Amino acid sequence: MKEKVLEIKENAVKEIKNAQNLQALNDVRVKYLGKKGELTVLLKGMGALSPEERPVVGSLVNEARDTIEKQIEEKEKALKADIIKEKLEKEKIDITMPSKKQEIGSIHPITGVIDNVKDIFLGLGYQIVDGPEIEKAIYNFDKLNTPPDHPARDIQDTFYITEDIVLRSQTSPVQARVMETQKPPIKIICPGKVYRSDSVDATHSPVFHQIEGLVIDKNISMSDLKGTLEMFAKKCLGENTKIRFRPHHFPFTEPSAEADVSCFVCKGKGCRVCKNEGWIELLGCGMVHPNVLENCGIDPNEYSGFAFGFGVERIAMAKYGIDDMRLLFENDVRFLKQF
């Protein structure tokens, strides 16, 4: 049996040295040290030996086991080191090689203007309110003091889904919904897409973005409106921006006005952007019509308010000197990279 132990030890050491990977090394471990391994089987057969032979053979078996375990441990460390070395060689990075060019995107000018306007009015204590783009005609027209015979309700100007449901032509219906459900004081802006039956050209699109504002409280006057719009114009277009009102008519405000801002390009001297007028038309505004307040359940004898609205594309075109609205929707990367 002594010869058998020495033979097992010698064979195990050879196979350990020849193991090319961790799996092969584990197979050697199982072959010699496992539950059914050769050394284990040999130990189980020691009962047949004489009392004098057992200590000698037992010592040889333990020595062989220790040797095999030590050899396996050293071989395992060597194989793992080789694996790490090979992995490092494969994953080695040449830091002298030029890197791949990474394209970094930017905010679309329309999104940028909307975010800018939101920040300005949030700073003034306004809430941002959203509403449905598919709207009931009663909110899009009737509650806003727009009677059935008004030109804006013609099929040539508005997209009708049914006689009573339209694609909203303005974000004003959001104001009506808020006035119905919220008691004054009210300070909101309503950004979103709107739809009008316009042909596509340099200054018109059937789909565009609009932001409207509404303030309802006691003792609100035209001077509050003017001060608010002056603050907005300076924050959005530059601290030197001036604003002027021109009389106008809107069915949902009385009195009403068109608000122009001084051209930020030429400082009012006249240029291509402002068509040599020194002013750029910016938005419509006015004091909320008493009929609108009544239609929405607010007492016009107790409360007053102002409203304003503008196209986001108009602001973007004025702010960035864009002369064709279609550029904002065509997704030409060469154009968008400028922003």
Side-chain angles (χ1 to χ4, degrees), residues 223-236:
S223 62
D224 297 314
L225 170 61
K226 188 171 187 293
T228 299
L229 294 182
E230 283 181 342
M231 173 69 74
F232 163 68
K234 290 180 182 295
K235 292 292 185 182
C236 186

Side-chain angles (χ1 to χ4, degrees), residues 269-281:
K269 296 178 181 179
C271 66
R272 179 180 63 86
V273 176
C274 63
K275 300 179 181 178
N276 294 314
E277 294 181 358
W279 296 90
I280 297 174
E281 181 183 325

Side-chain angles (χ1 to χ4, degrees), residues 26-254:
N26 188 59
D27 291 341
V28 175
R29 179 188 287 110
V30 172
K31 179 178 179 181
Y32 291 100
L33 304 179
K35 291 181 178 180
K36 297 180 180 180
E38 294 186 18
L39 269 183
T40 306
V41 171
L42 203 61
L43 280 171
K44 291 178 179 179
M46 288 182 62
L49 297 176
S50 65
E52 294 80 13
E53 290 180 311
R54 287 176 193 169
V56 177
V57 174
S59 177
L60 288 173
V61 171
N62 289 332
E63 182 185 351
R65 176 181 291 276
D66 292 341
T67 301
I68 293 172
E69 287 178 345
K70 184 177 180 180
Q71 292 287 326
I72 289 175
E73 184 179 350
E74 291 178 355
K75 184 66 175 182
E76 185 176 20
K77 288 181 180 179
L79 288 174
K80 287 182 177 180
D82 290 341
I83 292 173
I84 293 174
K85 183 178 179 180
E86 182 181 359
K87 190 174 182 181
L88 289 174
E89 286 293 329
K90 288 182 179 180
E91 297 180 358
K92 184 169 62 177
I93 299 174
D94 185 356
I95 61 173
T96 65
M97 291 181 64
S99 63
K100 294 181 180 179
K101 185 178 180 181
Q102 294 184 346
E103 296 287 345
I104 300 176
S106 60
I107 297 295
H108 192 281
I110 291 178
T111 304
V113 169
I114 292 174
D115 290 344
N116 186 23
V117 172
K118 284 181 178 179
D119 288 342
I120 292 171
F121 282 100
L122 283 173
L124 294 173
Y126 284 65
Q127 291 181 307
I128 299 171
V129 184
D130 195 11
E133 295 177 17
I134 299 176
E135 185 57 275
K136 295 179 179 179
I138 189 173
Y139 287 105
N140 199 74
F141 296 120
D142 297 283
K143 288 186 177 293
L144 301 174
N145 201 39
T146 306
D149 58 350
H150 194 278
R153 302 183 71 150
D154 290 345
I155 195 170
Q156 291 87 352
D157 293 320
T158 302
F159 290 107
Y160 281 86
I161 296 176
T162 68
E163 288 186 3
D164 301 320
I165 299 177
V166 301
L167 294 180
R168 68 180 182 188
S169 57
Q170 55 209 352
T171 55
S172 303
V174 182
Q175 300 180 13
R177 289 178 175 273
V178 171
M179 284 189 284
E180 268 193 345
T181 58
Q182 183 176 323
K183 293 182 179 180
I186 297 171
K187 288 178 70 176
I188 61 169
I189 59 168
C190 319
K193 286 198 289 289
V194 297
Y195 307 84
R196 294 182 187 176
S197 186
D198 288 331
S199 299
V200 178
D201 59 29
T203 57
H204 296 85
S205 171
V207 183
F208 59 98
H209 299 77
Q210 193 177 61
I211 296 179
E212 296 198 18
L214 173 71
V215 173
I216 304 291
D217 205 347
K218 295 180 179 179
N219 303 317
I220 298 296
S221 66
M222 199 78 172
S223 62
D224 297 314
L225 170 61
K226 188 171 187 293
T228 299
L229 294 182
E230 283 181 342
M231 173 69 74
F232 163 68
K234 290 180 182 295
K235 292 292 185 182
C236 186
L237 301 175
E239 287 297 328
N240 296 322
T241 305
K242 298 179 181 179
I243 193 167
R244 72 175 184 183
F245 284 177
R246 289 180 289 107
H248 197 73
H249 170 72
F250 297 110
F252 33 82
T253 53
E254 180 60 38

